Amino acid sequence: MVSRVIPVDDFDLVIFGGTGDLARRKILPGLFRRFRSGQMPADSRIIGAARSELDTSGYRAMIREAIVEFGGDEKSDTDTLDQFLNALDYVAIDAKGEGGWSELKSLIRDKVIKAFYFSVAPSLFGDLAERLHAHEIADTDSRIVVEKPFGRDLASAQALNATLAEHFDERQIYRIDHYLGKETVQNLMAVRFGNVLFEPLWNSHYVDHIQITVAETVGVGGRGGYYDKSGAMRDMVQNHLMQLLCLIAMEPPSVFGANEVRDEKLKVIRALQPVEAHHIVRGQYDASDDAASYRADVENPRSFTESFVAMKCHVSNWRWSDTPFYLRTGKKMKARTSEIAVVFKDLGHKMFEGDSARHRNILAIRLQPNEGMDLQVTIKEPGPGGMRLIDVPLDMTFADALGDDAEDATDAYERLIMDVIRGNQTLFMRGDEVEAAWAWTDPIIEGWEARNDVPKLYDAGSAGPDDAMMLMHRDGRRWRDIKG
Ligand code: NAD
């Protein structure tokens, strides 16, 4: 199968924070893949803007190194890499001062799409927005891309939204959540709304419960200082898990348009009931044979920050009133996996004699590893000896089904950046969505703070605290195994 790449219009993309970790690890290697695929027009320009005193050739050398380190197989195509690097410029800029802004203005062309990626600390978003405006660099069609974290509670998210709104309309603001750029996440919508099979069953009458797991094997890495002030609830649940929940639970929009999709997601967040304290388990990883404890990693021996959360939530609407959603995310877990599992109800009646097992259809949507889906179905065990039933997966791993197309699969960041250039906001969070998500999350965190809640310890490399298992067992259910 041959990929159909539709080039985007000519653009100038400024990456504030262009020397930072995210730019070097994700944004620029991703843009190189888009360039190589022919999607990025050869005339388009990428301008790195950051604090370091570099010239353009120094920046190109830095990005060459980054692509060699973090890029995939495509990095061996050195001729194309040279051409790509020629599309790069660099400006040393001070977000909080006046240095570099006139030079940036002189590099930006008229009559092309202008996008500004704020890959810097959120405390600089306001300064950047203000100066882009004051120096007349941005116009009414320019787009800004902002990174997470978008606030640390409702009040700070509202303040950030208000600051950006002083200079940019909502239609110009692209709040990135890279989970929404994953192929499988978009496929989830295609599977739900493009097939007759699933939608009639997608409700409390047929779905017993839904599990969303995002498990990481890594600890806090070099982000200990940031993470210890944030924790899993702010870092993962409020944004990534909430977005996945919305896509699973939302009503079909009338058309696949940015505001129609986001209106439906917002309704889901607003329908989420407050979570009762006994429906949440907080955990923190402890040392194991070959791993240090969370507290050692963040160098805070008294930290009560959670590196794990499991919870049971309810979406209070007609479709989902009796179907619980179980969410779970953690660091230093036994395997790296992200999946959504839609667990259908048992058949009420058993017609096969002697079959006492509980057979269930499960639709599992894997975000990583091996992006794909499998549907567990019940069949007859092969061979003579009567009707014994077994459950087998109908597996659709994209790499198997789509061959080169899947191997070529665009990374979430590059896909989302191309959407910015196309002016398509469907896969970006709208301001009111982010605020609604914080409005739901805040009372949970405030409850922990008020009670001085102490997270349950779990062994690094395990499936999380035992209490998380109990959360399911109490309801006669169990988590799916965390497998890499
Ligand atoms: P980083 O610390 O590696 O880089 C920060 C960048 O900002 C540098 O290029 C630096 O020169 C620039 N900068 C700092 N102060 C400046 C100023 N006053 N004027 C101009 N430029 C200035 O940070 P990062 O890890 O690349 O993260 C960037 C943003 O992306 C942050 O908001 C972070 O929360 C978010 N983010 C990062 C990751 C990741 O994997 N690194 C993942 C998700 C979100």
Side-chain angles (χ1 to χ4, degrees), residues 409-429:
T410 14
D411 180 73
Y413 274 96
E414 62 202 79
R415 178 195 311 279
L416 291 171
I417 296 170
M418 291 300 109
D419 277 357
V420 173
I421 307 300
R422 276 192 286 253
N424 183 350
Q425 290 185 304
T426 311
L427 299 175
F428 295 84
M429 294 177 295

Side-chain angles (χ1 to χ4, degrees), residues 16-196:
F16 292 108
T19 58
D21 176 69
L22 185 66
R24 286 182 296 108
R25 237 166 12 90
K26 291 282 179 191
I27 302 174
L28 283 143
L31 284 165
F32 173 48
R33 280 191 290 274
R34 294 299 87 217
F35 181 85
R36 190 163 173 267
S37 75
Q39 194 169 23
M40 177 178 153
D43 288 342
S44 290
R45 310 292 307 165
I46 298 168
I47 303 157
R51 247 187 335 197
S52 317
E53 289 298 334
L54 279 173
D55 58 13
T56 292
S57 67
Y59 187 57
R60 289 178 183 170
M62 172 192 267
I63 300 307
R64 181 191 294 278
E65 227 171 86
I67 289 173
V68 169
E69 186 174 354
F70 302 114
D73 293 344
E74 68 283 348
K75 65 193 173 202
S76 54
D77 182 355
T78 46
D79 289 348
T80 317
L81 180 54
D82 288 343
Q83 289 164 28
F84 172 72
L85 293 171
N86 279 336
L88 264 54
D89 286 302
Y90 182 79
V91 183
I93 211 159
D94 181 6
K96 287 183 165 299
E98 296 315 310
W101 288 92
S102 0
E103 194 189 342
L104 177 61
K105 185 175 165 71
S106 69
L107 287 173
I108 306 272
R109 297 169 297 164
D110 283 339
K111 297 196 180 114
V112 294
I113 292 163
K114 298 179 233 331
F116 302 93
Y117 199 129
F118 292 7
S119 182
V120 295
S123 56
L124 298 177
F125 290 178
D127 296 299
L128 293 177
E130 193 183 313
R131 281 174 177 73
L132 282 173
H133 192 72
H135 291 270
E136 297 179 349
I137 296 174
D139 58 33
T140 53
D141 190 40
S142 298
R143 292 114 211 223
I144 57 169
V145 184
V146 294
E147 263 299 335
K148 84 168 205 186
F150 199 86
R152 54 174 283 109
D153 53 19
L154 176 59
S156 55
Q158 283 172 328
L160 210 46
N161 273 336
T163 304
L164 296 179
E166 281 175 33
H167 306 290
F168 294 94
D169 288 343
E170 183 62 35
R171 67 178 167 78
Q172 298 178 280
I173 304 172
Y174 290 73
R175 294 175 195 78
I176 225 163
D177 183 326
H178 69 274
Y179 269 62
L180 294 182
K182 288 183 182 288
E183 183 73 16
T184 333
V185 168
Q186 292 166 69
N187 232 321
L188 170 59
M189 290 188 274
V191 163
R192 268 194 73 186
F193 304 133
N195 291 286
V196 75

Side-chain angles (χ1 to χ4, degrees), residues 345-361:
K345 288 189 172 168
D346 290 344
L347 276 178
H349 171 67
K350 293 200 184 312
M351 67 177 251
F352 299 106
E353 216 174 302
D355 185 51
S356 55
R358 194 188 216 192
H359 297 289
R360 284 199 153 165
N361 295 126

Side-chain angles (χ1 to χ4, degrees), residues 117 181 204 207 215 295 346 403 450 454 461 478:
Y117 199 129
S204 288
V207 178
R295 289 179 173 190
D346 290 344
V454 181
R478 60 190 172 85

